[in-house]
Amino acid sequence: QEFISKDIPNTSTVNGFIDYLFLTVVSRKPSDLERETLANYAINDARGTYTDMSTYNDRTGVTIIVMEYLSRLTEVYTFRKIEE
């Protein structure tokens, strides 16, 4: 529950929240298509709004939707070789 009510900078909108989740999990921002698709799905399924991701909206639902998508990306399970 602490994550859900925590004030995280730049996450007051659905797009900002999606960006945050992508950066945290896969170290990149979502593509425009990924962001738009996930935001639209989150708005409809998780009862959020585009401009307000306060605790009154279903942050948990949006997180589940985005994490479900991220879990299917191969980049989550592969690592790039670090050149020395």
Side-chain angles (χ1 to χ4, degrees):
Q1 286 294 50
E2 184 176 317
F3 168 73
I4 300 307
S5 60
K6 185 175 181 181
D7 184 29
I8 303 167
N10 302 316
T11 61
S12 61
T13 66
V14 168
N15 287 336
F17 192 62
I18 290 170
D19 286 351
Y20 170 79
L21 293 171
F22 264 75
L23 287 168
T24 301
V25 177
V26 293
S27 300
R28 70 169 176 86
K29 285 192 173 188
S31 69
D32 291 340
L33 179 60
E34 287 172 323
R35 186 182 298 108
E36 181 181 351
T37 302
L38 290 167
N40 287 335
Y41 187 74
I43 297 306
N44 293 322
D45 194 63
R47 298 176 309 278
T49 66
Y50 287 103
T51 57
D52 181 14
M53 278 304 299
S54 67
T55 55
Y56 296 106
N57 286 306
D58 189 359
R59 253 183 159 180
T60 303
V62 175
T63 302
I64 290 169
I65 289 166
V66 174
M67 295 302 283
E68 171 77 20
Y69 174 77
L70 291 174
S71 73
R72 299 168 189 273
L73 297 178
T74 56
E75 62 200 272
V76 171
Y77 305 101
T78 58
F79 299 94
R80 289 187 293 189
K81 181 179 178 181
I82 298 173
E83 299 294 330
E84 294 187 48

